Amino acid sequence: MSDKSTIPFGPQHPVLPEPIHLKLVVEDEKVVEAYPAFGFVHRGLETLAQKKDFNQMVYVVERVCGICSCMHGQDYCEAIEELMGVQVPVRAEYLRTIWAELHRIHSHLLWLGLFADAFGFENLFMQTWKIREKIMDILEATSGNRVIISVNIVGGVRKDINSEQAKWILKELDDVEEQLKDINDVVMNNYTVKERTVGIGVLTKEEAYELGATGPMAKGSGVDLDLRTTGYAAYKYLDFEPIVEKDGDSYARNLVRMREIFQSIDLIRQALSKMPEGDINVPVKGNPPAGEVISRLEQSRGEVVYYIKSNGTKFLDRLRIRTPTFANIPALLKILPGSQLQDVPVLILTIDPCISCTER
């Protein structure tokens, strides 16, 4: 009988983009148990809600995670707007949707580059991030910044997209789509990728549901869950279906993300073609009334939940954020036991972890 050993995995590791910290119980090269250790990058952002007013908190929540910053700001603003009974203009809803989908594309492309780097595909890593630069250029041209674009405000958005910019965005997206089609064939049909992902880290549909998995982690296991179908922002005006795969392995989760990139490109095209003229925000006066609200939306990694409790002043009583990576940790701990130690980095990357979000 082999002896069991407990080894640390992270917070620093060549493959990991963020400092995730796990304790792995291994028997030879086989993982038999896995335990998470949180708190390495805790910043206390939720407590700031008691010290910054509700408008200033838009800037704070955008810094929960840089890659998802636009959607963090959008979710927070939608929660405050629900508390205050504010109806944002339709054009603002479309603009929020466009920027959210641009963030989804650049998040998935960032993940794809890191995924390629984990396999040692350096050229694919650089090519993927080269394509991602086009998305970053669009964000910079339309908002003034590349990552934390700070376009959301309570009552709408502070920036607009004119007709010339819309034409240029469509042209750039056509180019991105063509390049991604070539990369998609290379990545998803590659022998090494399939050997390391097909049948590895299987999570059944029942397990995904019971463990509360979200995003591509759940969709890759056949769970038809996408909050965009609830119709928040401009999604109620757009035609799409959730991307779902049924195999539940690492390959299926990767395939969901690849297909979502193409879906996001299509959603942006629809939004730009249907977006009406009009105001981009409405004046908001006063403070949120005393009450509680829960707001949810679909980030690139899955469902993010904002709970807000207000007391009638400009300062909130409580802000609580449930991020998608936090929801996916139980599912990760489920698929790690039984895997080989060499597969652990790849399995972790298939949930696209954001520890900055998780620990805040």
Side-chain angles (χ1 to χ4, degrees), residues 78-110:
E78 288 181 355
I80 296 295
E81 288 157 3
E82 184 177 342
L83 268 176
M84 301 183 71
V86 175
Q87 178 62 50
V88 302
V90 176
R91 186 175 180 86
E93 292 182 324
Y94 274 97
L95 290 168
R96 283 179 174 178
T97 300
I98 292 168
W99 279 310
E101 291 305 315
L102 286 170
H103 270 71
R104 195 180 314 277
I105 295 172
H106 102 72
S107 175
H108 283 342
L109 287 176
L110 182 143

Side-chain angles (χ1 to χ4, degrees), residues 58-126:
V58 179
Y59 293 89
V60 175
V61 299
E62 286 173 337
R63 283 149 182 82
V64 170
C65 172
I67 299 172
C68 306
S69 64
C70 179
M71 288 178 269
H72 275 290
Q74 179 183 342
D75 201 7
Y76 172 82
C77 287
E78 288 181 355
I80 296 295
E81 288 157 3
E82 184 177 342
L83 268 176
M84 301 183 71
V86 175
Q87 178 62 50
V88 302
V90 176
R91 186 175 180 86
E93 292 182 324
Y94 274 97
L95 290 168
R96 283 179 174 178
T97 300
I98 292 168
W99 279 310
E101 291 305 315
L102 286 170
H103 270 71
R104 195 180 314 277
I105 295 172
H106 102 72
S107 175
H108 283 342
L109 287 176
L110 182 143
W111 161 83
L112 179 58
L114 296 171
F115 184 70
D117 184 55
F119 284 98
F121 298 161
E122 293 295 333
N123 286 340
L124 179 59
F125 165 70
M126 290 184 282

Side-chain angles (χ1 to χ4, degrees), residues 119 121 185-198 251:
F119 284 98
F121 298 161
D185 292 336
V186 172
V187 175
M188 303 316 295
N189 296 318
N190 181 271
Y191 171 81
T192 303
V193 171
K194 285 189 172 182
E195 280 292 305
R196 296 287 300 277
T197 58
V198 174
Y251 186 83

Side-chain angles (χ1 to χ4, degrees), residues 30-308:
K30 184 179 180 180
V31 178
V32 293
E33 292 179 87
Y35 301 97
F38 293 119
F40 189 75
V41 290
H42 176 64
R43 294 168 288 160
L45 296 186
E46 291 181 358
T47 305
L48 286 176
Q50 301 169 15
K51 301 178 181 179
K52 305 288 184 181
D53 69 48
F54 72 95
N55 283 312
Q56 292 173 323
M57 279 303 298
V58 179
Y59 293 89
V60 175
V61 299
E62 286 173 337
R63 283 149 182 82
V64 170
C65 172
I67 299 172
C68 306
S69 64
C70 179
M71 288 178 269
H72 275 290
Q74 179 183 342
D75 201 7
Y76 172 82
C77 287
E78 288 181 355
I80 296 295
E81 288 157 3
E82 184 177 342
L83 268 176
M84 301 183 71
V86 175
Q87 178 62 50
V88 302
V90 176
R91 186 175 180 86
E93 292 182 324
Y94 274 97
L95 290 168
R96 283 179 174 178
T97 300
I98 292 168
W99 279 310
E101 291 305 315
L102 286 170
H103 270 71
R104 195 180 314 277
I105 295 172
H106 102 72
S107 175
H108 283 342
L109 287 176
L110 182 143
W111 161 83
L112 179 58
L114 296 171
F115 184 70
D117 184 55
F119 284 98
F121 298 161
E122 293 295 333
N123 286 340
L124 179 59
F125 165 70
M126 290 184 282
Q127 179 66 19
T128 302
W129 280 30
K130 178 183 177 182
I131 297 172
R132 178 174 171 265
E133 280 299 304
K134 287 185 173 292
I135 304 300
M136 309 306 290
D137 289 342
I138 294 174
L139 290 172
E140 185 174 20
T142 56
S143 70
N145 209 342
R146 288 164 50 86
V147 182
I148 302 179
I149 61 176
S150 296
V151 291
N152 288 292
I153 58 174
V154 178
V157 294
R158 58 163 46 92
K159 299 279 187 176
D160 202 353
I161 296 177
N162 59 43
S163 58
E164 291 301 315
Q165 287 176 320
K167 292 177 183 178
W168 172 70
I169 290 172
L170 292 173
K171 180 176 178 297
E172 291 294 287
L173 290 178
D174 288 342
D175 189 26
V176 168
E177 186 177 44
E178 285 303 311
Q179 295 185 58
L180 281 175
K181 285 179 180 178
D182 296 334
I183 285 183
N184 183 60
D185 292 336
V186 172
V187 175
M188 303 316 295
N189 296 318
N190 181 271
Y191 171 81
T192 303
V193 171
K194 285 189 172 182
E195 280 292 305
R196 296 287 300 277
T197 58
V198 174
I200 306 296
V202 175
L203 185 73
T204 67
K205 182 177 181 179
E206 292 74 21
E207 290 170 341
Y209 185 83
E210 291 174 0
L211 294 171
T214 185
M217 193 75 178
K219 296 171 189 173
S221 295
V223 179
D224 186 4
L225 176 64
D226 191 323
L227 286 176
R228 292 176 293 178
T229 59
T230 61
Y232 68 87
Y235 292 108
K236 52 183 169 287
Y237 311 119
L238 307 180
D239 299 321
F240 69 100
E241 295 291 335
I243 302 295
V244 177
E245 295 289 334
K246 297 183 178 180
D247 291 337
D249 57 7
S250 296
Y251 186 83
R253 294 188 282 275
N254 300 340
L255 190 56
V256 167
R257 289 189 178 91
M258 291 298 295
R259 291 177 60 193
E260 280 193 346
I261 296 175
F262 294 106
Q263 182 187 59
S264 292
I265 292 174
D266 178 64
L267 286 171
I268 295 171
R269 287 172 177 154
Q270 288 187 53
L272 287 172
S273 66
K274 296 180 178 180
M275 183 167 60
E277 297 296 328
D279 295 331
I280 61 173
N281 57 56
V282 295
V284 177
K285 297 181 181 179
N287 299 320
E292 297 175 285
V293 66
I294 293 177
S295 179
R296 308 183 302 160
L297 57 73
E298 189 78 12
Q299 290 186 341
S300 53
R301 295 177 174 90
E303 176 187 3
V304 62
V305 180
Y306 270 71
Y307 164 79
I308 290 176

